[in-house]
């Protein structure tokens, strides 16, 4: 399966991507995780991404698209992948179509995890207390949610129009959400 995971910050994309990927035996590609690893390693990519991430803004498409192109060229993704956090705006979605077409493969699904503002805010504030992720402060979470609403939410219509959209309720216990996702993906 080749799929993208959509949903606001805190919806559970990373949590569920790991579970689904294990079940489907395919890798997860999280653009946020790749950026964070590069920030931690103080690489050139990390230095380019850091200021955008700490402001809750999107890293420029040119940087992000090149990174995803490199990742999708690796051998472990030939049998499928779950993209977590990419695409994040309509231009990235068009770029992904081009990347996949160059690889002569097609996307099977766009899986959107739905969770409301209050719930995701609560989860991310809680994560801030536990993990101390730099962009989990209240003003930056608000900014990330704004960016989601203006830049990423239009992708729901984009993928729905192509018959690829699967929407899953992200509220409830992690296991329950996984069960919903597995059922939705199995029915695809
Ligand atoms: P990214 O890392 O993608 O962050 P995000 O979209 O803000 O997503 P989160 O990791 O906060 O949430 P999630 O939906 O994955 O939920 P999670 O499972 O972690 O991006 C970070 C930054 O990188 C961006 O702001 C941007 O700057 C840059 N970036 C990344 N991709 C980019 C792109 N394509 N283009 C440009 N820039 C890009 O769960 C959240 C918390 O909730 C956890 O503590 C978890 O334990 C908990 N939780 C999960 N499920 C449940 C549940 N069912 N019940 C209760 N708690 C739960």
């Amino acid at each position: 399966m080749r799929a993208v995971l959509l949903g606001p910050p805190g919806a559970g994309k990373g949590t569920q991507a790991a579970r689904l990927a294990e079940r489907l035996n395919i890798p997860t590609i999280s653009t946020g995780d790749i950026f964070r690893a590069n920030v931690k390693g103080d690489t050139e990519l990390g230095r380019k991404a850091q200021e955008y991430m700490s402001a809750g803004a999107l890293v420029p498409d040119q940087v992000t698209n090149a990174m995803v192109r490199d990742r999708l060229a690796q051998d472990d993704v030939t049998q499928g992948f779950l993209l977590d956090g990419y695409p994040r705006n309509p231009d990235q979605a068009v770029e992904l179509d081009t990347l996949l077409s160059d690889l002569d493969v097609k996307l099977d699904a766009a899986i959107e995890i739905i969770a409301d503002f209050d719930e995701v805010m609560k989860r991310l504030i809680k994560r801030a207390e536990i993990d101390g992720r730099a962009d989990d402060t209240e003003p930056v979470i608000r900014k990330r949610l704004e960016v989601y609403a203006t830049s990423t939410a239009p992708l729901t219509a984009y993928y729905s129009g192509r018959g690829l959209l699967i929407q899953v309720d992200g509220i409830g216990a992690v296991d329950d959400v996984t069960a919903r996702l597995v059922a939705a993906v199995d029915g695809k």
Side-chain angles (χ1 to χ4, degrees), residues 64-128:
T64 309
N65 290 337
M67 180 177 92
V68 173
R69 179 177 282 277
D70 284 351
R71 183 64 187 88
L72 287 178
Q74 290 172 21
D75 288 343
D76 64 327
V77 300
T78 51
Q79 298 309 310
F81 56 79
L82 272 181
L83 267 169
D84 161 17
Y86 183 94
R88 220 135 162 148
N89 62 30
D91 286 346
Q92 290 185 5
V94 171
E95 177 66 15
L96 178 61
D97 290 340
T98 306
L99 291 180
L100 295 181
S101 149
D102 289 350
L103 293 168
D104 210 15
V105 295
K106 280 202 169 76
L107 199 66
D108 298 307
I111 305 164
E112 181 179 16
I113 304 179
I114 298 183
D116 59 76
F117 180 94
D118 289 348
E119 174 69 17
V120 299
M121 187 56 99
K122 199 172 70 188
R123 288 181 188 177
L124 296 180
I125 296 286
K126 187 171 165 197
R127 182 171 66 187

Side-chain angles (χ1 to χ4, degrees), residues 7-17 30-33 35-36 49 52-61 64 67-68 84-89 92 113 119-120 123-124 126-128 130-131 133 135-136 140 144 147 170-175 177:
K13 300 182 296 296
T15 305
Q16 298 298 338
S30 160
T31 43
D33 283 351
F35 284 135
R36 275 185 292 279
Y52 299 97
M53 294 177 80
S54 49
L58 294 184
V59 177
D61 286 353
T64 309
M67 180 177 92
V68 173
D84 161 17
Y86 183 94
R88 220 135 162 148
N89 62 30
Q92 290 185 5
I113 304 179
E119 174 69 17
V120 299
R123 288 181 188 177
L124 296 180
K126 187 171 165 197
R127 182 171 66 187
I130 300 166
D131 296 349
R133 201 171 111 173
D135 58 351
D136 278 345
V140 179
R144 285 157 61 201
V147 170
I171 307 294
V174 171
D175 283 347
V177 178

Side-chain angles (χ1 to χ4, degrees), residues 128-183:
E129 287 160 12
I130 300 166
D131 296 349
R133 201 171 111 173
D135 58 351
D136 278 345
T137 61
E138 190 166 337
V140 179
I141 296 168
R142 283 186 185 280
K143 175 68 185 170
R144 285 157 61 201
L145 287 165
E146 257 174 58
V147 170
Y148 175 78
T150 52
S151 301
T152 314
L155 297 183
T156 302
Y158 180 82
Y159 286 116
S160 171
R162 293 173 49 189
L164 293 176
L165 186 69
I166 296 174
Q167 289 180 306
V168 172
D169 179 7
I171 307 294
V174 171
D175 283 347
D176 292 344
V177 178
T178 307
R180 281 175 216 145
L181 276 164
V182 167

